[in-house]
Amino acid sequence: MTRLFAGTPFDIPPTCDLCGKQETDCLCTDQQKADAEAARQREADRLPPEQQTARIRLDRRKGGRTVTLVEGLTSRANDLPALLGQLQSACGSGGTVKKADDLIELQGDHIERVRQKLSEIGYRLKK
């Protein structure tokens, strides 16, 4: 008997967090358990939009192209690709996420639309 209360009415065998079965009957792989733990950690690191401040600015690229940049939102606290999708649909333009810089780029001058969409979502804005 390795458990403290084994053989008593208080004995509760350990269960798998992923499937809910007893650990002796669990068929989950170590990779599935690691992926589930990583997903739980990502969700724990997320911050609500009300606690974050976004900075929006324009940048000129070579050839006279203009891009709208959204800064100040970290990839650890946000799902930046999902946020990019919302901004792209609101602006009707293309864009990308620069994960190394925690930066969202949208093609064109869309400061007002981005400002409106981020405030609808609940982010604080800074000029």
Side-chain angles (χ1 to χ4, degrees):
M1 290 192 215
T2 59
R3 294 190 312 269
L4 182 62
F5 295 108
T8 68
F10 299 105
D11 182 24
I12 301 173
T15 59
C16 174
D17 293 333
L18 195 57
C19 65
K21 296 180 182 178
Q22 290 184 6
E23 284 187 357
T24 56
D25 300 332
C26 178
L27 299 175
C28 300
T29 64
D30 290 336
Q31 182 63 39
Q32 289 173 327
K33 290 180 182 181
D35 291 344
E37 181 60 33
R40 274 194 292 275
Q41 187 61 41
R42 273 194 308 274
E43 288 304 315
D45 290 340
R46 299 278 188 242
L47 289 175
E50 298 82 27
Q51 295 180 1
Q52 301 178 62
T53 302
R55 290 176 191 85
I56 305 168
R57 67 181 177 95
L58 282 180
D59 193 20
R60 286 229 181 258
R61 299 291 163 91
K62 62 182 180 181
R65 293 174 296 175
T66 305
V67 292
T68 304
L69 301 175
V70 180
E71 302 170 318
L73 305 176
T74 62
S75 59
R76 189 168 183 218
N78 294 287
D79 186 8
L80 292 182
L83 182 59
L84 172 67
Q86 291 178 349
L87 294 176
Q88 283 177 325
S89 65
C91 298
S93 71
T96 186
V97 173
K98 304 285 186 175
K99 288 195 181 232
D101 302 328
D102 287 334
L103 186 72
I104 295 177
E105 289 184 1
L106 291 167
Q107 298 169 353
D109 182 0
H110 301 288
I111 287 184
E112 291 306 317
R113 290 185 199 146
V114 169
R115 186 179 310 281
Q116 179 183 1
K117 185 64 176 177
L118 288 176
S119 63
E120 283 176 13
I121 295 171
Y123 288 99
R124 292 180 294 184
L125 301 172
K126 193 172 199 178
K127 285 191 173 191

